[in-house]
């Protein structure tokens, strides 16, 4: 109704947040090892803020647990994300935020693959290529303006 | 001229005026106060100065006079005031250099109570005429406002006689004021004008303009503000003016609507709050014209806002407007204002409730609920329009999530609001819908979706709270549903919701619960285990135990009515007694597991807590429950004593179960009326001392059992001392314990000689509990002297096998004395300090400090009516921290860890403020404790560092030690203990909030070190590592 801010998708559908992971007895037992599983990776990325809404990626259904796959023994993670609309110009930025979050939060041994859910974005291939290119990701993070936006997405909600 | 004073008056004047010495003023004032000379003499002495042709000299003269007046205004006579005021009024026409001092003089004079009539008006006229306020300096403007305020206090009637001229003069005076201090004064004057009924005349709009131009207030105080004026203060002062009169309505409402469009959050908030404030005093006439505009602004704010504050302010404005309209009187010809306005709201909101995606359903519902909560009539109109529609929607929807949302919305409408409560003759708004509503609720309760069940049970309890809504058949049906859910539902959200609902309905409909809930739960609890197919062996599936325990919790939840308690508590007692008798007669496990029995005890305890103030149930506890419980446990204890080696043992001798029975007894005893308490105390004491079992039910007790016997067996009557403790240590202090000295010596004997840890610890606790409540005097001193002697000799004898017992008793007695500030406490705690050097007992003594400093659950706490000073921890710390530090420094290397442990226990239990102030002194020692290999010490140190690190003011105190702290923390991230790693990572996370300049140098090192715990084998550790590392990454980079 007030047209002062122009959002690409001004009124997105909001999805329910999943509950906090319940701590199990095995997790409290010192002697057992807990492998890194899908839910753990999902927990890392679900609270990332959307660049244009005061909502998390989970609430916008950009990331879902079923689209996260991890193989702990082989040190591989694959995350698919779904932009809210097919022409979303934020897709690269969202992908970059997910990638950076995983780079900061996972052990070095992991190979991290972040890409768009097939068939959900107009320039899917181009974005995937950018996200897969190590040098381009590194260069993007040298850009202080870009880094600022990424950090804002990653900073905790209360801040 | 009188020259009695030390300095002659002309000299003073000369010194002040010509010599420019400010000290003369104070001396002159002191002279007048002391009566050395009069004001008249002063004026005479000032004569030449005041008539000087030099304006500077005149100014100086008036300054002296004004100063003296400001000190002595109270002692002026009416005649003096009249002359002086006339003089000052005349001086207002003088040079601009003189004016400031004149104003100060008038201000001083307005403080004098002796004002002759008529003066005020002439002063004000001259002020408004001769002074241009806004060209004066800050202080002089403030003078003018103070003069006005003083005169308004002093001469209200006269000022009102000035008519609208006064308002006009004030408006001109404050027009353009910029200083917040003066604004506060000006707003005060304006508020007085409005509240005290000064005539506004044709200047209403002018007064509004001159104040409303500051709305909404945007003010941020300068750093290190010495005046302490906050934006909130200004906002409230201005709001009081703007909402001070209905005459402003036609100007204020358009202004509010305009400011609501603002993009600034605080402006919106202020506008909404102002609107709510003025709506509560306006009537329909004032609001009429602006209602559509106000509604559309409010709707926009609630629909679109991202801020909860704005939303709730908007809702309360809407509520205020609606309640204003509800108050307005219906005119016979015109429309019903409230109905017209509500129709507008309903029309705008209703369709959002039916849209399939339910996007705006919450804001619409909140708006409707806010309006409905304003008055009974409003809630009637809105409920009539909305509730049928919601129910229809609910019945048509098929998706669970959406049905849940609709049900949640419905719950908001069903909840009884304070003002929506019907008057005596009116029936509840919901009466018309009770059939369909109950249908919806019951159908939702039978769904399988947890969310629906939870919300439905909440609606059910709100319906139950409103008298006359549920018919008997509804209640019966509801109880059936609740019972079914208690028996069948395992969901972690549904169970508590169902129990809460049962608990809120039970006191309202006790008969239904007594007939349709309790017997069935009882049957379920005592149901025999299902037989296997071969019919041979009974099996207890774990789910059966879960159901049984849930039934017992439910019994406790519904026991909020005396008649219900008398039905439920015996069921739980029966669980205990049958678990006891079962074993006595048949070999093999009984019907109830240990967990079942503990659950029964918990439920009994909960009942004891719930009914604490009902006299009837107090008697019931005294007559039935306490004797039964005691009887059962004593019987069990003695039986197994008699047939020592023959299994089976009654489960009521297990320590875990005894420890569960203790809180039941102590809660029950703590809430007994004093006569019953005294009776119980004497019965229990004679049971333990003399074996008097008359009051216990059950007929197979041996005569005169010796309950204090020192059997070495682990299953012995001596264990039962916990029952003694539960009863006698929780009595109110006014209850006299009979034969207390004999009791104390028996307890001392038991605690010093028993070899059974449970028995001697409990005996020590019981001893301490009694000592704590014993009134000071010779008797107490004698007991203490004897006990201390015994403890000391036991501890000093290094070969004794009973040193642990002596230490335990020492710790508990020390605690009992420490918390009541008894002078002997220091002797005992010093003894404990010295034991930190003891090769054998040092670890126990160090852990003992945690016992001293923390609250114990079953004795020596407030619930047990102990003599308890809240500040004892701080006091202990201040008295003893030096000893600890000294002891640590002088101790040998291998003994140091005991001191560190003791220190971390003490610091851990201190209140946060004390921790913060003591931190700098203790930090080196705490860092030392981090390097101590004992994991318990590390953990306890980390847990006391963490809250300190979270508190921003701690950072300066930590600065010099930061290097060492981070170094040690990073080392601990690879500790073998998971809890230490987690606590360490939390501390590192907290450190990331420190000021950048302090921690930036460590960023690279911390990030590198935190990469290791990211690959920790425990998930909980990884979670903390991710949080901490993420925060350190953000440090010093843009967009934090």
């Amino acid at each position: 109704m007030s047209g002062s801010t122009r959002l690409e998708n001004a009124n997105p559908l909001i999805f329910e947040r999943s509950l906090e992971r319940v701590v199990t007895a095995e997790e409290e037992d010192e002697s057992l090892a807990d492998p890194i599983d899908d839910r753990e990776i999902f927990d890392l990325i679900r609270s990332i803020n959307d660049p244009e809404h005061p909502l998390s990626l989970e609430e916008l259904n950009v990331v879902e647990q079923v689209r996260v796959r991890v193989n702990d023994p082989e040190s591989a993670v694959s995350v698919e994300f779904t932009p809210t609309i097919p022409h979303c110009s934020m897709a690269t930025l969202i992908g970059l935020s997910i990638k950076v979050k995983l780079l900061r939060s996972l052990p070095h041994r992991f190979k991290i693959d972040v890409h768009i859910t097939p068939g959900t974005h107009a320039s899917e291939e181009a974005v995937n290529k950018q996200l897969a290119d190590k040098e381009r990701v590194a260069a993007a993070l040298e850009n202080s303006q870009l880094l600022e936006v990424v950090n804002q997405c990653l900073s905790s909600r209360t801040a | 001229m009188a020259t009695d004073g030390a300095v002659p008056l002309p000299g003073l004047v000369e010194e002040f005026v010509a010599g420019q010495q400010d000290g003369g003023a104070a001396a002159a004032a002191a002279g007048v106060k002391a009566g050395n000379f009069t004001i008249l003499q002063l004026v005479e002495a000032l004569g030449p100065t005041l008539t000087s042709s030099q304006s500077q000299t005149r100014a100086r003269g008036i300054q002296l006079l004004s100063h003296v007046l400001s000190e002595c205004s109270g002692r002026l006579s009416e005649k003096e005031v009249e002359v002086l005021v006339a003089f000052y009024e005349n001086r207002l026409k003088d040079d601009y250099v003189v004016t400031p001092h004149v104003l100060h003089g008038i201000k001083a004079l307005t403080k004098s109570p002796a004002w002759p009539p008529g003066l005020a008006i002439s002063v004000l006229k001259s002020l408004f005429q001769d002074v241009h306020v806004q060209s004066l300096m800050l202080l002089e403007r403030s003078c003018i406002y103070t003069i006005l305020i003083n005169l308004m206090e002093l001469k209200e009637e006269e000022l009102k006689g000035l008519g609208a001229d006064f308002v006009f003069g004030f408006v001109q005076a404050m027009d353009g004021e910029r200083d917040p201090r003066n604004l506060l004064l000006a707003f005060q004057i304006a508020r007085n004008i409005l509240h005290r009924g000064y005539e506004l005349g044709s200047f209403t709009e002018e007064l509004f303009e001159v104040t409303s131009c500051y709305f909404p207030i945007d003010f941020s105080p300068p750093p290190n503000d010495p005046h302490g004026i906050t934006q909130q203060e200004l906002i409230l002062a201005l709001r009081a003016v703007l909402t001070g009169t209905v005459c402003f309505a036609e100007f204020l409402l358009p202004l509010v609507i305009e400011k609501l469009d603002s993009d600034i959050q605080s402006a919106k908030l202020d506008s909404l709050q102002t609107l709510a404030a003025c709506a509560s005093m306006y009537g329909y006439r004032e609001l009429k014209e602006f209602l559509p505009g106000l509604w559309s602004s409010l709707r926009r704010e609630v629909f679109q806002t991202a801020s909860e504050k704005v939303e709730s302010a908007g809702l309360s404005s809407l509520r205020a407007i609606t309640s204003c309209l509800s108050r307005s009187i219906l005119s016979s010809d015109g429309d019903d204002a409230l109905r017209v306005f509500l129709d507008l709201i309903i029309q705008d909101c209703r369709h959002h409730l039916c849209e399939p995606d339910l996007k705006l359903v919450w804001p619409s519902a909140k708006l409707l609920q806010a309006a409905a909560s304003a008055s009974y009539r409003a809630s009637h109109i809105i409920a009539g329009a909305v509730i049928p529609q919601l129910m229809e929607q609910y019945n048509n929807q098929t998706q669970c999530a959406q049905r849940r949302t609709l049900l949640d919305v419905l719950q908001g409408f069903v909840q009884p609001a304070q003002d929506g409560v019907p008057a005596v003759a009116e029936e509840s708004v919901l009466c018309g819908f009770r059939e369909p509503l109950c249908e919806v609720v019951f159908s939702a309760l039978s769904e399988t979706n947890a969310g629906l069940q939870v919300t439905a049970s909440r609606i059910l309890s709100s319906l139950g709270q409103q008298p006359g809504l549920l018919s008997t058949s509804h209640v019966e049906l509801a109880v059936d549903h609740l019972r079914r859910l208690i028996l069948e539902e395992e969901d972690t959200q549904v169970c508590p919701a169902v129990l809460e609902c049962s608990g809120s309905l039970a006191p309202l409909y006790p008969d239904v619960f007594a007939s349709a809930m309790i017997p069935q739960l009882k049957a379920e609890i005592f149901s025999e285990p299902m037989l296997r197919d071969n019919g041979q062996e009974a099996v207890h599936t774990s789910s059966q135990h879960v159901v049984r325990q849930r039934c017992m919790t439910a019994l406790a939840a519904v026991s909020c009515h005396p008649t219900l308690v008398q039905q439920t508590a015996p069921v739980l007692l029966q669980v205990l007694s049958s678990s006891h008798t079962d074993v006595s007669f048949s070999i093999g496990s009984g019907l109830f597991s240990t967990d079942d029995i503990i659950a029964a005890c918990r439920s009994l305890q909960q009942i004891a807590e719930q009914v604490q103030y009902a006299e009837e149930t107090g008697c019931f506890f005294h007559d039935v429950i306490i004797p039964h419980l005691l009887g059962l446990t004593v019987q069990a204890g003695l039986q197994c004593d008699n047939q020592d080696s023959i299994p089976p043992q009654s489960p009521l001798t297990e320590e875990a179960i005894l420890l569960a029975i203790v809180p039941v007894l102590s809660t029950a005893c703590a809430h007994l009326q004093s006569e019953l308490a005294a009776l119980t105390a004497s019965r229990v004491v004679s049971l333990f001392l003399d074996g008097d079992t008359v009051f216990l039910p059950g007929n197979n007790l041996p005569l005169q059992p010796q309950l204090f016997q020192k059997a070495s067996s682990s299953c012995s009557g001596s264990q039962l001392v916990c029952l003694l403790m539960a009863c006698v240590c929780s009595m109110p202090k006014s209850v006299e314990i009979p034969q207390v000295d004999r009791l104390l010596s028996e307890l001392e004997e038991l605690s010093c000689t028993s070899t059974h840890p449970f028995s001697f610890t409990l005996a020590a606790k019981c001893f301490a509990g009694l000592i704590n409540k014993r009134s000071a005097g010779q008797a107490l001193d004698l007991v203490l002297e004897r006990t201390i002697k015994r403890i000391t000799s036991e501890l000093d004898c290094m070969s004794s096998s009973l040193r642990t017992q002596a230490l335990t008793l020492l710790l508990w007695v020390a605690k009992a004395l420490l918390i009541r500030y008894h002078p002997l406490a220091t002797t005992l705690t010093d003894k404990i300090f010295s034991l930190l050097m003891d090769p054998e007992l040092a670890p126990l003594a160090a852990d003992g400090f945690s016992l001293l400093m923390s609250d114990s659950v079953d004795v020596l706490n407030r619930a047990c009516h102990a003599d308890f000073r809240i500040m004892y921890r701080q006091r202990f710390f201040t008295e003893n921290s030096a000893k600890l530090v000294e002891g640590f420094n002088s101790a040998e290397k291998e003994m140091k860890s005991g001191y560190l442990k003791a220190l971390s226990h003490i610091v851990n239990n201190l209140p946060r403020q004390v921790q913060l102030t003591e931190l700098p002194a203790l930090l080196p020692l705490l860092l030392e404790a981090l390097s101590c290999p004992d994991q318990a010490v590390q953990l306890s140190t980390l847990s006391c560092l963490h809250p300190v690190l979270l508190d921003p003011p701690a950072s300066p105190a930590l600065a010099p030690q930061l290097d060492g702290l981070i170094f040690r923390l990073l080392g601990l991230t690879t500790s073998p203990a998971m809890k230490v790693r987690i606590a360490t990572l939390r501390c590192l996370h907290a450190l990331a909030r420190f000021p950048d300049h302090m921690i930036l140098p460590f960023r690279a090192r911390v990030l590198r070190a935190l990469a290791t715990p990211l690959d920790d084998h425990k998930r909980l550790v990884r979670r903390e590592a991710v949080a901490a590392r993420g925060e350190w990454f953000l440090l010093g980079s843009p967009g934090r």
Side-chain angles (χ1 to χ4, degrees), chain A residues 67-78:
Chain A
R67 304 198 186 281
V68 175
R69 275 179 298 278
V70 64
N71 188 338
D72 195 16
E74 289 176 20
S75 303
V77 174
S78 148

PDB file of all heavy atoms in Angstrom, chain A residues 67-78:
ATOM      1  N   ARG A  67      16.550 -31.254   0.868  1.00  0.00           N
ATOM      2  CA  ARG A  67      17.476 -30.860  -0.202  1.00  0.00           C
ATOM      3  C   ARG A  67      18.918 -30.723   0.307  1.00  0.00           C
ATOM      4  O   ARG A  67      19.740 -30.083  -0.307  1.00  0.00           O
ATOM      5  CB  ARG A  67      17.020 -29.548  -0.832  1.00  0.00           C
ATOM      6  CG  ARG A  67      15.602 -29.612  -1.367  1.00  0.00           C
ATOM      7  CD  ARG A  67      15.303 -28.518  -2.341  1.00  0.00           C
ATOM      8  NE  ARG A  67      13.902 -28.558  -2.713  1.00  0.00           N
ATOM      9  CZ  ARG A  67      13.400 -29.423  -3.604  1.00  0.00           C
ATOM     10  NH1 ARG A  67      14.215 -30.277  -4.225  1.00  0.00           N
ATOM     11  NH2 ARG A  67      12.112 -29.423  -3.873  1.00  0.00           N
ATOM     12  N   VAL A  68      19.149 -31.247   1.487  1.00  0.00           N
ATOM     13  CA  VAL A  68      20.512 -31.227   2.032  1.00  0.00           C
ATOM     14  C   VAL A  68      21.011 -32.657   2.086  1.00  0.00           C
ATOM     15  O   VAL A  68      20.327 -33.532   2.609  1.00  0.00           O
ATOM     16  CB  VAL A  68      20.504 -30.634   3.455  1.00  0.00           C
ATOM     17  CG1 VAL A  68      21.890 -30.733   4.065  1.00  0.00           C
ATOM     18  CG2 VAL A  68      20.026 -29.203   3.438  1.00  0.00           C
ATOM     19  N   ARG A  69      22.194 -32.889   1.517  1.00  0.00           N
ATOM     20  CA  ARG A  69      22.752 -34.241   1.610  1.00  0.00           C
ATOM     21  C   ARG A  69      24.190 -34.158   2.087  1.00  0.00           C
ATOM     22  O   ARG A  69      24.958 -33.350   1.606  1.00  0.00           O
ATOM     23  CB  ARG A  69      22.691 -34.948   0.249  1.00  0.00           C
ATOM     24  CG  ARG A  69      21.355 -35.612  -0.017  1.00  0.00           C
ATOM     25  CD  ARG A  69      21.328 -36.259  -1.370  1.00  0.00           C
ATOM     26  NE  ARG A  69      21.500 -35.273  -2.431  1.00  0.00           N
ATOM     27  CZ  ARG A  69      20.512 -34.526  -2.900  1.00  0.00           C
ATOM     28  NH1 ARG A  69      19.310 -34.638  -2.402  1.00  0.00           N
ATOM     29  NH2 ARG A  69      20.744 -33.649  -3.849  1.00  0.00           N
ATOM     30  N   VAL A  70      24.518 -34.998   3.041  1.00  0.00           N
ATOM     31  CA  VAL A  70      25.882 -34.969   3.551  1.00  0.00           C
ATOM     32  C   VAL A  70      26.395 -36.396   3.625  1.00  0.00           C
ATOM     33  O   VAL A  70      25.650 -37.338   3.887  1.00  0.00           O
ATOM     34  CB  VAL A  70      25.937 -34.277   4.931  1.00  0.00           C
ATOM     35  CG1 VAL A  70      25.152 -35.054   5.947  1.00  0.00           C
ATOM     36  CG2 VAL A  70      27.360 -34.122   5.407  1.00  0.00           C
ATOM     37  N   ASN A  71      27.682 -36.531   3.329  1.00  0.00           N
ATOM     38  CA  ASN A  71      28.327 -37.829   3.480  1.00  0.00           C
ATOM     39  C   ASN A  71      29.568 -37.623   4.326  1.00  0.00           C
ATOM     40  O   ASN A  71      30.589 -37.139   3.849  1.00  0.00           O
ATOM     41  CB  ASN A  71      28.689 -38.373   2.082  1.00  0.00           C
ATOM     42  CG  ASN A  71      29.175 -39.799   2.192  1.00  0.00           C
ATOM     43  OD1 ASN A  71      29.622 -40.228   3.251  1.00  0.00           O
ATOM     44  ND2 ASN A  71      29.082 -40.525   1.092  1.00  0.00           N
ATOM     45  N   ASP A  72      29.432 -37.915   5.613  1.00  0.00           N
ATOM     46  CA  ASP A  72      30.513 -37.593   6.549  1.00  0.00           C
ATOM     47  C   ASP A  72      31.792 -38.356   6.248  1.00  0.00           C
ATOM     48  O   ASP A  72      32.863 -37.756   6.172  1.00  0.00           O
ATOM     49  CB  ASP A  72      30.025 -37.831   7.982  1.00  0.00           C
ATOM     50  CG  ASP A  72      30.930 -37.195   9.011  1.00  0.00           C
ATOM     51  OD1 ASP A  72      31.740 -36.324   8.627  1.00  0.00           O
ATOM     52  OD2 ASP A  72      30.827 -37.553  10.194  1.00  0.00           O
ATOM     53  N   PRO A  73      31.739 -39.671   6.045  1.00  0.00           N
ATOM     54  CA  PRO A  73      32.988 -40.408   5.790  1.00  0.00           C
ATOM     55  C   PRO A  73      33.709 -39.890   4.549  1.00  0.00           C
ATOM     56  O   PRO A  73      34.939 -39.831   4.508  1.00  0.00           O
ATOM     57  CB  PRO A  73      32.533 -41.854   5.595  1.00  0.00           C
ATOM     58  CG  PRO A  73      31.130 -41.939   6.025  1.00  0.00           C
ATOM     59  CD  PRO A  73      30.575 -40.575   6.125  1.00  0.00           C
ATOM     60  N   GLU A  74      32.953 -39.502   3.525  1.00  0.00           N
ATOM     61  CA  GLU A  74      33.615 -39.030   2.293  1.00  0.00           C
ATOM     62  C   GLU A  74      33.789 -37.520   2.283  1.00  0.00           C
ATOM     63  O   GLU A  74      34.224 -36.953   1.277  1.00  0.00           O
ATOM     64  CB  GLU A  74      32.794 -39.467   1.081  1.00  0.00           C
ATOM     65  CG  GLU A  74      32.884 -40.966   0.842  1.00  0.00           C
ATOM     66  CD  GLU A  74      31.989 -41.413  -0.299  1.00  0.00           C
ATOM     67  OE1 GLU A  74      31.611 -40.555  -1.128  1.00  0.00           O
ATOM     68  OE2 GLU A  74      31.657 -42.608  -0.335  1.00  0.00           O
ATOM     69  N   SER A  75      33.427 -36.869   3.377  1.00  0.00           N
ATOM     70  CA  SER A  75      33.603 -35.413   3.510  1.00  0.00           C
ATOM     71  C   SER A  75      32.977 -34.635   2.358  1.00  0.00           C
ATOM     72  O   SER A  75      33.652 -33.817   1.724  1.00  0.00           O
ATOM     73  CB  SER A  75      35.083 -35.052   3.605  1.00  0.00           C
ATOM     74  OG  SER A  75      35.670 -35.718   4.670  1.00  0.00           O
ATOM     75  N   ALA A  76      31.717 -34.909   2.080  1.00  0.00           N
ATOM     76  CA  ALA A  76      31.061 -34.176   1.004  1.00  0.00           C
ATOM     77  C   ALA A  76      29.704 -33.667   1.464  1.00  0.00           C
ATOM     78  O   ALA A  76      28.972 -34.369   2.152  1.00  0.00           O
ATOM     79  CB  ALA A  76      30.886 -35.078  -0.212  1.00  0.00           C
ATOM     80  N   VAL A  77      29.410 -32.410   1.080  1.00  0.00           N
ATOM     81  CA  VAL A  77      28.118 -31.815   1.405  1.00  0.00           C
ATOM     82  C   VAL A  77      27.521 -31.266   0.127  1.00  0.00           C
ATOM     83  O   VAL A  77      28.226 -30.658  -0.676  1.00  0.00           O
ATOM     84  CB  VAL A  77      28.274 -30.648   2.409  1.00  0.00           C
ATOM     85  CG1 VAL A  77      26.943 -29.957   2.624  1.00  0.00           C
ATOM     86  CG2 VAL A  77      28.816 -31.129   3.705  1.00  0.00           C
ATOM     87  N   SER A  78      26.224 -31.511  -0.064  1.00  0.00           N
ATOM     88  CA  SER A  78      25.560 -30.908  -1.203  1.00  0.00           C
ATOM     89  C   SER A  78      24.268 -30.257  -0.739  1.00  0.00           C
ATOM     90  O   SER A  78      23.467 -30.874  -0.043  1.00  0.00           O
ATOM     91  CB  SER A  78      25.300 -31.987  -2.251  1.00  0.00           C
ATOM     92  OG  SER A  78      24.124 -31.689  -2.940  1.00  0.00           O
TER      93      SER A  78
END
